[in-house]
Amino acid sequence: MSKTYIIGHQKPDTDSAVAALALAELFQHLPCAGYENPVAVVADPLNPETSYLFEKFGVTPPQQISAKDIQPENKIVLVDHNEKSQRLPGLNPEQIVEIVDHHKVNLNLSKPIFLNFKAWGSATTIVYFMMKQYGSTPYQPNKKLAGLMLSAILSDTVGYKSATTTDHDKKLGAELATIAEIENVEALALEIFKAKSNLDDLSDKELVKNDYKKYQFAQSVLIGQIETVEQAKLLKERKQGLLEAMKQVKAEEQVDLIFLAITDVLQINTKLLLADGASAEIVEQAFGTKTEKGSADIGPKMSRKREIAPAIEKILKK
């Protein structure tokens, strides 16, 4: 039986997993989409925050698969990513039929496909917009899914504080809050921040790999990010261990450069950890800051997509 797998990027965050689930739900109720047996899946295990939110709203999370589970007759829809370096390893690009994303486009496919890209703060925002637009009667998510979708938007926009946040995210997020009967959105955002900070059970290496993305600039680059309400405590207690783990991950992932952003979601500040002198030099040029003992304070920056990766890319392309 042919299936349409809807999948987010490697190391899925809440937005990636929820956007896939919500889009599968929409396609199941939208025959004109033409996708047989749409099913949401993930490329890796869910992180603690995402697992917590699926449990909170009583929703079954997407199943994890590998490329060998995808048969030749199956189709693939990508959400929340498009770059080859962020796709499920071994995925056949010839099977990709659609992409729904809010990141910069970096594609080289052999045939035309459906593309839905919007410069909004969350892929889930785009999916909810699709729910409102498609069909003679707009599809409305149930209360549980609406709550999960709102959480994904809040997570990816850091409670609407990130530079990636748009009026669309706020407006559509408010609609989802009404459906989910969530009156105190700020309290939910704080709950999400606390879930992000629940990192004690993760090793240093697991922390480095908990949320990362690979980029192919002039050199291959891995940028990890830890969003927390306990930045100072994390750096005081685990900085040296994280720096050592970064060196291991750099070798394992075979990248030229690795950076780890420790982002304080309440104070709106990011400090970058740097595994070597080359990384330090790039950061000093990119952000006009000094590095000290393997770290650099880059100020009130929170978005890897909008504020961190582009600055590093600009220096590497000189």
Side-chain angles (χ1 to χ4, degrees):
M1 181 174 62
S2 178
K3 294 183 179 179
T4 302
Y5 288 109
I6 304 171
I7 187 169
H9 53 73
Q10 296 180 61
K11 299 298 177 184
D13 55 12
T14 300
D15 186 39
S16 180
V18 174
L21 184 72
L23 191 58
E25 184 84 7
L26 174 60
F27 286 157
Q28 288 167 11
H29 291 82
L30 192 67
C32 64
Y35 294 133
E36 293 184 88
N37 303 306
V39 56
V41 293
V42 291
D44 289 298
L46 300 184
N47 63 40
E49 173 208 320
T50 307
S51 296
Y52 168 80
L53 289 168
F54 271 93
E55 184 175 347
K56 172 182 173 65
F57 290 100
V59 178
T60 303
Q63 177 186 357
Q64 182 183 344
I65 66 166
S66 65
K68 66 181 181 181
D69 297 313
I70 303 175
Q71 301 304 311
E73 67 271 16
N74 297 151
K75 297 177 180 179
I76 299 165
V77 175
L78 303 182
V79 296
D80 198 31
H81 73 299
N82 66 88
E83 293 183 316
K84 180 180 179 180
S85 61
Q86 296 176 17
R87 297 177 201 155
L88 175 72
L91 183 150
N92 181 0
E94 295 296 319
Q95 293 176 266
I96 299 172
V97 294
E98 183 167 350
I99 302 176
V100 178
D101 194 12
H102 65 135
H103 295 91
K104 183 178 72 171
V105 180
N106 185 4
L107 287 170
N108 185 18
L109 300 176
S110 63
K111 60 184 179 182
I113 64 171
F114 291 102
L115 299 175
N116 191 341
F117 282 70
K118 297 187 186 301
W120 295 354
S122 162
T124 301
T125 306
I126 302 173
V127 175
Y128 179 55
F129 180 78
M130 293 169 66
M131 288 179 172
K132 289 166 60 67
Q133 295 295 311
Y134 287 179
S136 56
T137 303
Y139 174 74
Q140 179 171 295
N142 61 35
K143 180 179 176 180
K144 291 181 179 180
L145 181 56
L148 196 55
M149 292 175 72
L150 170 62
S151 298
I153 296 172
L154 292 173
S155 177
D156 231 39
T157 64
V158 196
Y160 302 136
K161 294 179 182 179
S162 172
T164 61
T165 307
T166 69
D167 289 340
H168 298 285
D169 300 294
K170 295 176 181 178
K171 178 179 181 295
L172 297 180
E175 291 183 13
L176 287 166
T178 298
I179 298 170
E181 299 178 9
I182 295 174
E183 296 182 1
N184 194 335
V185 174
E186 290 186 2
L188 175 60
L190 182 59
E191 188 176 343
I192 294 169
F193 296 161
K194 290 179 178 179
K196 287 179 185 289
S197 298
N198 185 19
L199 306 171
D200 291 342
D201 293 335
L202 298 181
S203 68
D204 293 330
K205 187 175 179 181
E206 288 171 333
L207 270 179
V208 173
K209 300 184 73 172
N210 187 52
D211 177 8
Y212 73 79
K213 290 187 177 179
K214 290 182 182 178
Y215 302 89
Q216 189 60 51
F217 299 147
Q219 301 179 56
S220 57
V221 178
L222 185 152
I223 305 177
Q225 186 167 31
I226 301 171
E227 295 175 325
T228 179
V229 296
E230 297 181 325
Q231 182 195 66
K233 179 175 182 280
L234 184 65
L235 288 170
K236 180 181 179 180
E237 297 179 357
R238 303 186 66 171
K239 178 179 176 180
Q240 288 307 125
L242 290 171
L243 287 171
E244 289 302 317
M246 288 171 66
K247 295 175 183 178
Q248 296 176 31
V249 173
K250 178 184 175 183
E252 291 175 4
E253 298 295 328
Q254 299 181 332
V255 293
D256 298 312
L257 296 163
I258 184 170
F259 305 88
L260 181 62
I262 313 293
T263 299
D264 188 317
V265 296
L266 294 182
Q267 298 300 320
I268 310 180
N269 171 269
T270 291
K271 291 181 172 63
L272 288 178
L273 294 190
L274 316 162
D276 52 45
S279 301
E281 184 177 342
I282 290 166
V283 165
E284 289 184 354
Q285 294 180 57
F287 300 101
T289 187
K290 294 294 183 181
T291 60
E292 183 178 357
K293 297 180 180 179
S295 66
D297 188 335
I298 62 172
K301 295 176 174 58
M302 303 178 73
S303 172
R304 172 172 48 197
K305 177 181 74 172
R306 183 72 60 86
E307 298 173 306
I308 300 174
I312 292 172
E313 180 182 17
K314 184 177 180 180
I315 298 303
L316 290 176
K317 285 189 172 181
K318 283 186 176 180

